[in-house]
Amino acid sequence: MEELQTQFKIWEQPAYRLTQLLDWIYKCRVTSWEEMTNLPKSLREKLKENFTLQTLALVRKQGSRDSTQKFLWKLNDGAMIESVLIPATPALYGEACDRHTLCVSTQVGCAYGCKFCASGLEGWKRNLRVEEIVDQILATERWNEAKLKIQDSKPKTESDSRLVNNLVIMGMGEPLANYDNLLKALKILNAPWGGGIGARKITISTSGLAPQIKKLAEEPLQFRLAISLHGATDETRNKIMPVNKKYPLRDLTAACEYYEKQKGRMITLEYILIAGVNDALTQIKPLAQLAHRLHAKVNLIPYNKVEDLPWVRPTEEAQEKFLAAHEREKVIATLRREKGHDIDAACGQLRLKTERQARETFATATK
Ligand code: SAH
Ligand code: SF4
């Protein structure tokens, strides 16, 4: 944005030209400079020489109409990333879903190598650029618009055509390891001239980069924070999350406490349940202590099997036991109960659990 502003000044363009340009990009979501018909041709030529407009091409989409959709995007350098679109309201009675969450990627691959995760299996390739993060939303909305056109129900107002109103930064990669690009992208997605998505509707999930959590706490925008905890003691966490060696629970907790104090917002502790690894009831006391200290809620997610990895989810009975133990400790906890992989039905019934579905769906998609 600043870059565009500066460039427009150098080119001696009046301020309204920038507004026109931003409308074309973020409201009309055009994919070529030629379509910006109210900009002078000479300006369009200059823009074309200096800026890239579209960065993602749809390679594949999975999912049926009005349910969870997984998008596989190809970047300009050929790398692939995914985003997952989850409707938050049921389409059980044929009505359109009016609220959608998009699970967004921030890196190609991941360097953090959590033992259970598919994203890190092939290592880290690179950070996503700002426009590659932003375009996941724009490209998804373009897809939606094209779909509506086919159905002959072209959106009438701008807000009709807006599809994504929640973001979970839980796709491939460690968001806080691509801090600067992520923040720039989120500011664009939050701005009224950009994506118009409220900061409170944006959840950033991290494996626990303590210094960056503190930095995020200093940001004026009120993003929600989710911590991939997955172990309530250093011993358990060390076994599955190498990041814990760098930022052990003491550091992570201090950073979360700081975030919670600065923002006054409830943090979510994500806890995937892996049989025989982190589901022992001995985890409950330390987990409850942590949750109380941070005023956090706990999301329990049965592990989603990843090909080539040995881990499995605990039995339903063991999952329920783990949940019940939280309730006894007066911790706010939820368990995602899902029959098989019937994610679409879960979307309809479990509106509040959208975030967890995003992660679960994404893990399946990146297998
Ligand atoms: N790197 C960030 C965000 C991306 S991962 C983070 O770790 O938080 C998003 C979430 O999916 C994390 O909570 C991660 O632990 C979880 N996850 C990864 N693999 C999973 C699997 N196989 N089953 C269920 N959740 C998984
Ligand atoms: Fe990376 Fe998050 Fe997967 Fe860990 S859980 S490997 S940090 S994407």
Side-chain angles (χ1 to χ4, degrees):
M1 176 64 177
E2 286 93 36
E3 210 184 320
L4 268 173
Q5 256 169 340
T6 317
Q7 197 59 62
F8 269 48
K9 269 197 194 124
I10 297 171
W11 290 340
E12 294 176 353
Q13 291 294 324
Y16 71 90
R17 288 280 181 233
L18 188 59
T19 313
Q20 287 175 324
L21 177 70
L22 295 173
D23 280 356
W24 281 116
I25 299 177
Y26 298 111
K27 306 229 155 74
C28 307
R29 298 179 286 272
V30 298
T31 54
S32 73
W33 304 102
E34 287 73 27
E35 286 168 84
M36 304 184 176
T37 44
N38 60 359
L39 298 186
K41 196 151 183 264
S42 56
L43 177 60
R44 281 186 261 154
E45 297 285 328
K46 279 193 219 163
L47 284 164
K48 196 173 180 174
E49 279 163 30
N50 289 277
F51 297 95
T52 325
L53 195 52
Q54 195 188 358
T55 56
L56 304 183
L58 183 60
V59 177
R60 200 194 68 190
K61 189 191 68 67
Q62 272 185 0
S64 55
R65 206 162 68 88
D66 296 333
S67 71
T68 300
Q69 311 279 343
K70 302 168 206 170
F71 299 89
L72 182 69
W73 310 111
K74 195 182 214 164
L75 309 175
N76 288 343
D77 66 353
M80 307 265 209
I81 53 160
E82 293 202 31
S83 320
V84 182
L85 181 69
I86 308 111
T89 46
L92 293 178
Y93 307 103
E95 77 275 29
C97 290
D98 61 346
R99 304 175 84 193
H100 289 79
T101 296
L102 192 72
C103 178
V104 172
S105 293
T106 51
Q107 299 184 311
V108 182
C110 184
Y112 285 81
C114 302
K115 299 277 194 288
F116 47 81
C117 176
S119 294
L121 271 182
E122 284 173 26
W124 176 84
K125 294 213 173 63
R126 68 173 175 89
N127 280 337
L128 291 191
R129 299 199 310 269
V130 178
E131 57 276 25
E132 290 168 333
I133 299 173
V134 173
D135 209 25
Q136 290 176 60
I137 289 84
L138 299 183
T140 304
E141 298 199 324
R142 270 182 217 123
W143 164 84
N144 179 56
E145 217 166 359
K147 187 184 79 173
L148 291 176
K149 268 183 198 152
I150 292 168
Q151 291 169 0
D152 205 21
S153 57
K154 201 169 174 262
K156 286 156 201 74
T157 64
E158 187 212 321
S159 62
D160 280 351
S161 81
R162 282 272 149 114
L163 176 75
V164 178
N165 36 27
N166 284 281
L167 294 180
V168 289
I169 316 301
M170 294 187 181
M172 188 187 280
E174 168 48 55
L176 298 188
N178 187 11
Y179 191 96
D180 292 345
N181 289 352
L182 174 71
L183 261 286
K184 279 185 194 160
L186 292 184
K187 280 175 191 163
I188 292 172
L189 291 165
N190 170 253
W193 51 261
I197 302 172
R200 286 156 203 262
K201 305 252 165 117
I202 301 176
T203 303
I204 302 172
S205 175
T206 176
S207 58
L209 309 197
Q212 283 89 335
I213 292 173
K214 284 192 181 153
K215 200 168 159 194
L216 192 66
E218 307 282 351
E219 297 284 343
L221 288 172
Q222 293 281 359
F223 301 121
R224 287 176 188 274
L225 182 66
I227 305 293
S228 293
L229 193 68
H230 312 330
T233 57
D234 281 324
E235 197 197 347
T236 302
R237 220 167 173 261
N238 281 341
K239 273 194 243 163
I240 47 177
M241 301 184 74
V243 68
N244 197 65
K245 302 234 165 76
K246 197 160 183 201
Y247 305 116
L249 281 171
R250 226 183 68 164
D251 299 358
L252 177 57
T253 314
C256 290
E257 212 164 23
Y258 183 67
Y259 192 92
E260 200 264 337
K261 289 228 168 75
Q262 287 290 108
K263 301 286 182 193
R265 304 196 62 80
M266 195 182 240
I267 291 175
T268 305
L269 300 175
E270 307 283 330
Y271 200 102
I272 49 178
L273 287 166
I274 312 176
V277 174
N278 65 356
D279 62 340
L281 293 180
T282 47
Q283 291 292 303
I284 299 292
K285 285 267 183 225
L287 187 50
Q289 260 170 17
L290 214 61
H292 286 309
R293 183 169 154 199
L294 297 174
H295 308 290
K297 59 178 174 175
V298 175
N299 271 351
L300 300 172
I301 312 115
Y303 180 64
N304 211 45
K305 181 91 184 93
V306 174
E307 231 175 77
D308 301 335
L309 295 181
W311 323 104
V312 290
R313 57 171 67 173
T315 61
E316 277 178 31
E317 198 192 339
Q319 295 171 25
E320 296 291 346
K321 257 196 186 157
F322 205 79
L323 174 70
H326 279 79
E327 281 159 8
R328 281 197 296 276
E329 296 289 330
K330 310 241 176 323
V331 171
I332 307 170
T334 44
L335 166 69
R336 197 162 88 70
R337 295 183 185 86
E338 175 205 337
K339 292 268 177 286
H341 286 271
D342 194 2
I343 288 163
D344 298 349
C347 271
Q349 292 147 22
L350 312 171
R351 179 175 167 165
L352 291 177
K353 299 182 179 173
T354 307
E355 287 170 20
R356 280 178 283 154
Q357 285 157 7
R359 180 194 37 258
E360 169 93 3
T361 310
F362 194 86
T364 312
T366 52
K367 260 188 209 174

